mmCIF file of all heavy atoms in Angstrom:
data_model
loop_
_atom_site.group_PDB
_atom_site.id
_atom_site.type_symbol
_atom_site.label_atom_id
_atom_site.label_comp_id
_atom_site.label_asym_id
_atom_site.label_seq_id
_atom_site.Cartn_x
_atom_site.Cartn_y
_atom_site.Cartn_z
ATOM 1 N N GLY A 441 0.656 15.843 7.778
ATOM 2 C CA GLY A 441 0.710 15.650 6.368
ATOM 3 C C GLY A 441 0.694 16.975 5.578
ATOM 4 O O GLY A 441 1.462 17.099 4.574
ATOM 5 N N GLN A 442 -0.108 17.906 5.925
ATOM 6 C CA GLN A 442 -0.220 19.171 5.182
ATOM 7 C C GLN A 442 1.151 19.886 5.125
ATOM 8 O O GLN A 442 1.597 20.282 4.092
ATOM 9 C CB GLN A 442 -1.276 20.088 5.751
ATOM 10 C CG GLN A 442 -1.523 21.347 4.938
ATOM 11 C CD GLN A 442 -2.649 22.162 5.468
ATOM 12 O OE1 GLN A 442 -2.806 22.343 6.690
ATOM 13 N NE2 GLN A 442 -3.466 22.706 4.594
ATOM 14 N N ASN A 443 1.791 20.047 6.262
ATOM 15 C CA ASN A 443 3.063 20.726 6.334
ATOM 16 C C ASN A 443 4.175 19.916 5.609
ATOM 17 O O ASN A 443 5.127 20.490 5.098
ATOM 18 C CB ASN A 443 3.481 20.998 7.757
ATOM 19 C CG ASN A 443 2.604 22.105 8.366
ATOM 20 O OD1 ASN A 443 2.122 22.982 7.696
ATOM 21 N ND2 ASN A 443 2.382 22.031 9.661
ATOM 22 N N THR A 444 4.060 18.582 5.584
ATOM 23 C CA THR A 444 5.020 17.769 4.912
ATOM 24 C C THR A 444 5.008 18.074 3.420
ATOM 25 O O THR A 444 6.069 18.227 2.769
ATOM 26 C CB THR A 444 4.751 16.292 5.164
ATOM 27 O OG1 THR A 444 4.939 15.982 6.547
ATOM 28 C CG2 THR A 444 5.673 15.410 4.342
ATOM 29 N N PHE A 445 3.829 18.117 2.817
ATOM 30 C CA PHE A 445 3.763 18.391 1.418
ATOM 31 C C PHE A 445 4.093 19.863 1.087
ATOM 32 O O PHE A 445 4.618 20.165 0.012
ATOM 33 C CB PHE A 445 2.327 18.030 0.867
ATOM 34 C CG PHE A 445 2.209 16.583 0.574
ATOM 35 C CD1 PHE A 445 1.582 15.712 1.433
ATOM 36 C CD2 PHE A 445 2.715 16.033 -0.609
ATOM 37 C CE1 PHE A 445 1.463 14.399 1.171
ATOM 38 C CE2 PHE A 445 2.622 14.684 -0.911
ATOM 39 C CZ PHE A 445 1.978 13.828 0.004
ATOM 40 N N ALA A 446 3.793 20.783 2.016
ATOM 41 C CA ALA A 446 4.184 22.183 1.801
ATOM 42 C C ALA A 446 5.688 22.255 1.794
ATOM 43 O O ALA A 446 6.308 23.017 1.012
ATOM 44 C CB ALA A 446 3.617 23.024 2.917
ATOM 45 N N ALA A 447 6.366 21.555 2.697
ATOM 46 C CA ALA A 447 7.852 21.541 2.699
ATOM 47 C C ALA A 447 8.409 20.944 1.401
ATOM 48 O O ALA A 447 9.436 21.413 0.902
ATOM 49 C CB ALA A 447 8.344 20.763 3.890
ATOM 50 N N ALA A 448 7.725 19.949 0.879
ATOM 51 C CA ALA A 448 8.156 19.360 -0.367
ATOM 52 C C ALA A 448 8.108 20.381 -1.507
ATOM 53 O O ALA A 448 8.944 20.451 -2.396
ATOM 54 C CB ALA A 448 7.294 18.149 -0.718
ATOM 55 N N SER A 449 7.088 21.208 -1.514
ATOM 56 C CA SER A 449 6.904 22.264 -2.533
ATOM 57 C C SER A 449 8.063 23.241 -2.462
ATOM 58 O O SER A 449 8.645 23.617 -3.448
ATOM 59 C CB SER A 449 5.577 22.962 -2.325
ATOM 60 O OG SER A 449 5.415 24.013 -3.232
ATOM 61 N N ALA A 450 8.407 23.660 -1.234
ATOM 62 C CA ALA A 450 9.511 24.579 -1.062
ATOM 63 C C ALA A 450 10.838 23.970 -1.494
ATOM 64 O O ALA A 450 11.711 24.675 -2.063
ATOM 65 C CB ALA A 450 9.584 24.990 0.409
ATOM 66 N N LEU A 451 11.006 22.694 -1.248
ATOM 67 C CA LEU A 451 12.236 21.997 -1.628
ATOM 68 C C LEU A 451 12.441 21.970 -3.117
ATOM 69 O O LEU A 451 13.532 22.187 -3.629
ATOM 70 C CB LEU A 451 12.195 20.564 -1.080
ATOM 71 C CG LEU A 451 13.499 19.816 -0.902
ATOM 72 C CD1 LEU A 451 14.399 20.551 0.058
ATOM 73 C CD2 LEU A 451 13.244 18.403 -0.419
ATOM 74 N N ALA A 452 11.351 21.751 -3.871
ATOM 75 C CA ALA A 452 11.446 21.737 -5.322
ATOM 76 C C ALA A 452 11.829 23.131 -5.863
ATOM 77 O O ALA A 452 12.629 23.247 -6.823
ATOM 78 C CB ALA A 452 10.118 21.287 -5.961
ATOM 79 N N LEU A 453 11.254 24.167 -5.290
ATOM 80 C CA LEU A 453 11.604 25.517 -5.720
ATOM 81 C C LEU A 453 13.080 25.840 -5.378
ATOM 82 O O LEU A 453 13.788 26.491 -6.191
ATOM 83 C CB LEU A 453 10.738 26.543 -4.987
ATOM 84 C CG LEU A 453 9.297 26.700 -5.509
ATOM 85 C CD1 LEU A 453 8.518 27.691 -4.651
ATOM 86 C CD2 LEU A 453 9.263 27.120 -7.000
ATOM 87 N N PHE A 454 13.551 25.362 -4.248
ATOM 88 C CA PHE A 454 14.953 25.595 -3.860
ATOM 89 C C PHE A 454 15.877 24.879 -4.841
ATOM 90 O O PHE A 454 16.949 25.406 -5.211
ATOM 91 C CB PHE A 454 15.177 25.054 -2.447
ATOM 92 C CG PHE A 454 16.545 25.383 -1.900
ATOM 93 C CD1 PHE A 454 17.082 26.671 -1.973
ATOM 94 C CD2 PHE A 454 17.298 24.387 -1.314
ATOM 95 C CE1 PHE A 454 18.346 26.925 -1.478
ATOM 96 C CE2 PHE A 454 18.532 24.657 -0.777
ATOM 97 C CZ PHE A 454 19.088 25.917 -0.879
ATOM 98 N N GLY A 455 15.470 23.694 -5.340
ATOM 99 C CA GLY A 455 16.283 23.020 -6.326
ATOM 100 C C GLY A 455 16.465 23.807 -7.597
ATOM 101 O O GLY A 455 17.477 23.722 -8.259
ATOM 102 N N GLY A 456 15.439 24.602 -7.942
ATOM 103 C CA GLY A 456 15.521 25.427 -9.149
ATOM 104 C C GLY A 456 16.623 26.449 -9.120
ATOM 105 O O GLY A 456 17.155 26.851 -10.183
ATOM 106 N N VAL A 457 17.024 26.831 -7.917
ATOM 107 C CA VAL A 457 18.130 27.835 -7.793
ATOM 108 C C VAL A 457 19.411 27.211 -8.315
ATOM 109 O O VAL A 457 20.207 27.880 -9.068
ATOM 110 C CB VAL A 457 18.306 28.196 -6.312
ATOM 111 C CG1 VAL A 457 19.516 29.114 -6.117
ATOM 112 C CG2 VAL A 457 17.051 28.902 -5.789
ATOM 113 N N PHE A 458 19.685 25.953 -8.032
ATOM 114 C CA PHE A 458 20.888 25.293 -8.484
ATOM 115 C C PHE A 458 20.771 24.887 -9.936
ATOM 116 O O PHE A 458 21.802 24.753 -10.647
ATOM 117 C CB PHE A 458 21.168 24.052 -7.608
ATOM 118 C CG PHE A 458 21.447 24.412 -6.178
ATOM 119 C CD1 PHE A 458 20.414 24.282 -5.218
ATOM 120 C CD2 PHE A 458 22.645 24.840 -5.752
ATOM 121 C CE1 PHE A 458 20.671 24.585 -3.915
ATOM 122 C CE2 PHE A 458 22.944 25.171 -4.444
ATOM 123 C CZ PHE A 458 21.928 25.080 -3.501
ATOM 124 N N LEU A 459 19.583 24.716 -10.406
ATOM 125 C CA LEU A 459 19.372 24.341 -11.811
ATOM 126 C C LEU A 459 19.883 25.406 -12.753
ATOM 127 O O LEU A 459 20.417 25.106 -13.812
ATOM 128 C CB LEU A 459 17.863 24.075 -12.048
ATOM 129 C CG LEU A 459 17.482 23.732 -13.521
ATOM 130 C CD1 LEU A 459 17.990 22.338 -13.808
ATOM 131 C CD2 LEU A 459 15.945 23.810 -13.680
ATOM 132 N N ILE A 460 19.756 26.660 -12.363
ATOM 133 C CA ILE A 460 20.135 27.793 -13.249
ATOM 134 C C ILE A 460 21.613 27.688 -13.577
ATOM 135 O O ILE A 460 21.999 27.804 -14.738
ATOM 136 C CB ILE A 460 19.866 29.138 -12.565
ATOM 137 C CG1 ILE A 460 18.353 29.306 -12.328
ATOM 138 C CG2 ILE A 460 20.419 30.292 -13.373
ATOM 139 C CD1 ILE A 460 17.986 30.484 -11.480
ATOM 140 N N GLN A 461 22.465 27.395 -12.590
ATOM 141 C CA GLN A 461 23.873 27.266 -12.862
ATOM 142 C C GLN A 461 24.208 26.000 -13.618
ATOM 143 O O GLN A 461 25.111 25.937 -14.435
ATOM 144 C CB GLN A 461 24.647 27.286 -11.492
ATOM 145 C CG GLN A 461 26.184 27.213 -11.649
ATOM 146 C CD GLN A 461 26.751 28.444 -12.338
ATOM 147 O OE1 GLN A 461 26.160 29.512 -12.280
ATOM 148 N NE2 GLN A 461 27.891 28.262 -12.949
ATOM 149 N N ALA A 462 23.439 24.928 -13.325
ATOM 150 C CA ALA A 462 23.694 23.625 -13.971
ATOM 151 C C ALA A 462 23.502 23.674 -15.473
ATOM 152 O O ALA A 462 24.161 22.942 -16.209
ATOM 153 C CB ALA A 462 22.766 22.580 -13.373
#
Side-chain angles (χ1 to χ4, degrees):
Q442 185 175 40
N443 289 329
T444 296
F445 278 100
S449 178
L451 201 60
L453 284 177
F454 186 48
V457 175
F458 298 98
L459 179 70
I460 296 172
Q461 182 66 26

